[in-house]
Amino acid sequence: MSEEINHHRRGFLGIAAVAIAATELGMIGAANAQAKETKAAALPSIRPGTNISFGPLKQIDAGVLNIGYAEAGPADGSPVILLHGWPYDIYSFADVAPLLAGAGYRVIIPYLRGYGTTRFLSSDTIRNGQQSVVAADIIALMDALKIPKAIVAGYDWGARTANIMAALWPERCKAMVSVSGYLIGSQEANKKPLPPKAELAWWYQFYFATERGRQGYENNRHDFAKLIWQLASPKWNFDDATFDRSAEAFNNPDHVAVVIHNYRWRLSLAEGEPQYDDLEKRLAKAPVITVPTITMEGDANGAPHPDPKSYSNKFSGKYMHRTITGGVGHNLPQEAPRDFAQAVVDVDTY
């Protein structure tokens, strides 16, 4: 059952209408488009941090979850689903959402399992964080909202989720925007050691593999997440209010269990659920993504991320990569909201 709530958003008023003239973004990296790019209308500029609220959220039963989500834009607009990462939340898109809503899109921003107001419907459900499960959650959300097809866009866990949706359910994905490119993995591939410098960047994954790490995250999730923000976006001078707004999402009773399972599953230290084995087998083959795609990267991303050259061949549809300059880190939608929103608008024309 969907709970309809009036969505007044502080700061969402005053966003300019989409400009008539079509322009190219100034900060565009190497492109590998298979057809001539259709120019989309340029979105208005926005100062990051302009919008600080979505207003009351909606809740809907979807699959094994009751999912909390924000919604913006006209109900009959073309759907866009924005997916956050760890340790972040829906406020990564607080400035992106009004830009897209102003351009006529219906924007859906869900809390992933283990975050915010999203809850499991049964106490008996395994608090599973394996990669295919999170994508299945969003397909279930689309079914519950009666959205047959949407543009999917995200970063970190959200980008991986969008990748998996596009790979396994391409008929549900009109197009995709993915920060840090192709992030589909497999337990078998993760068994191969990385060079020492790369392993160092994954320090928290090894920490989470221990009971000490689980307890440490449970007891210090606020400070732990803040440290990750600082390391992943070293040039982003976010204030305490910005962080604390998102940190509320980590108080979810299932947050720690889902996060720990996610990272332990990657290293084959935790089992997945058998009903997802076939999906994981398909993902283990690193399937090529056929839907139109724009990948993005910030020039100051301090989190582990692949080189764009390493994944360009994983996209067989029309494709472009954009590197966003100016000290933009891992949380690209919140640090460079116009660039992210513009990518969504642009990929819609592919």
Side-chain angles (χ1 to χ4, degrees):
M1 182 179 295
S2 178
E3 180 184 355
E4 296 295 336
I5 304 175
N6 181 32
H7 283 276
H8 174 70
R9 290 165 174 78
R10 176 185 173 190
F12 277 23
L13 300 177
I15 295 294
V18 176
I20 297 176
T23 65
E24 294 283 352
L25 272 177
M27 297 178 288
I28 299 180
N32 180 24
Q34 295 183 353
K36 184 177 180 180
E37 182 180 10
T38 301
K39 293 182 179 180
L43 297 176
S45 297
I46 189 169
R47 181 179 60 82
T50 296
N51 300 285
I52 62 172
S53 176
F54 289 108
L57 301 182
K58 295 183 177 183
Q59 299 286 145
I60 191 168
D61 288 350
V64 300
L65 301 173
N66 177 264
I67 296 179
Y69 66 99
E71 183 169 358
D76 61 351
S78 182
V80 176
I81 299 176
L82 304 178
L83 301 167
H84 69 81
W86 171 85
Y88 306 93
D89 81 326
I90 63 174
Y91 285 98
S92 291
F93 303 106
D95 289 323
V96 172
L99 290 172
L100 293 176
Y105 290 93
R106 180 189 180 190
V107 186
I108 307 292
I109 314 106
Y111 279 115
L112 301 186
R113 57 169 56 197
Y115 295 80
T117 61
T118 292
R119 297 288 188 274
F120 286 86
L121 294 173
S122 171
S123 59
D124 295 329
T125 303
I126 296 174
R127 272 42 179 173
N128 184 348
Q130 71 184 98
Q131 61 178 355
S132 62
V133 171
V134 185
D137 289 343
I138 306 306
I139 294 296
L141 174 64
M142 292 176 67
D143 291 343
L145 293 174
K146 297 180 171 56
I147 296 175
K149 199 168 191 173
I151 297 173
V152 290
Y155 69 101
D156 195 83
W157 284 26
R160 180 176 294 106
T161 300
N163 289 179
I164 293 169
M165 292 172 65
L168 298 182
W169 297 281
E171 72 280 1
R172 307 299 298 272
C173 301
K174 182 178 182 182
M176 179 176 69
V177 173
S178 177
V179 176
S180 297
Y182 188 90
L183 298 176
I184 296 173
S186 73
Q187 289 178 313
E188 190 62 33
N190 287 338
K191 291 178 182 178
K192 183 179 180 180
L194 301 172
K197 187 175 181 181
E199 294 281 28
L200 177 63
W202 286 104
W203 65 271
Y204 51 88
Q205 181 169 255
F206 301 112
Y207 182 63
F208 289 160
T210 68
E211 176 57 21
R212 178 188 177 94
R214 189 201 64 77
Q215 291 183 10
Y217 190 55
E218 175 76 60
N219 297 337
N220 303 289
R221 66 184 83 174
H222 181 280
D223 291 349
F224 196 105
K226 194 169 189 178
L227 175 62
I228 295 294
W229 279 36
Q230 293 165 342
L231 295 175
S233 298
K235 296 186 179 181
W236 181 30
N237 295 316
F238 60 88
D239 57 22
D240 287 342
T242 297
F243 175 76
D244 290 342
R245 190 176 306 120
S246 289
E248 285 294 322
F250 315 144
N251 292 327
N252 182 295
D254 304 304
H255 178 73
V256 173
V258 170
V259 170
I260 296 300
H261 186 271
N262 176 285
Y263 286 103
R264 289 183 180 179
W265 178 88
R266 298 188 197 193
L267 296 179
S268 300
L269 300 175
E271 294 183 357
E273 293 181 83
Q275 62 264 41
Y276 302 107
D277 285 352
D278 288 342
L279 296 182
E280 293 297 347
K281 288 177 182 177
R282 292 169 62 187
L283 295 174
K285 296 178 181 178
V288 170
I289 291 174
T290 60
V291 306
T293 298
I294 292 176
T295 59
M296 308 183 76
E297 193 60 83
D299 66 341
N301 185 359
H305 62 279
D307 186 312
K309 295 178 182 177
S310 71
Y311 54 69
S312 60
N313 65 346
K314 301 306 295 182
F315 302 96
S316 64
K318 187 173 181 185
Y319 170 70
M320 173 176 282
H321 177 76
R322 297 176 176 179
T323 297
I324 310 303
T325 61
V328 176
H330 190 58
N331 187 0
L332 193 151
Q334 197 161 0
E335 298 175 60
R338 182 185 179 275
D339 295 288
F340 188 88
Q342 189 69 57
V344 172
V345 173
D346 291 346
V347 80
D348 192 20
T349 67
Y350 281 15

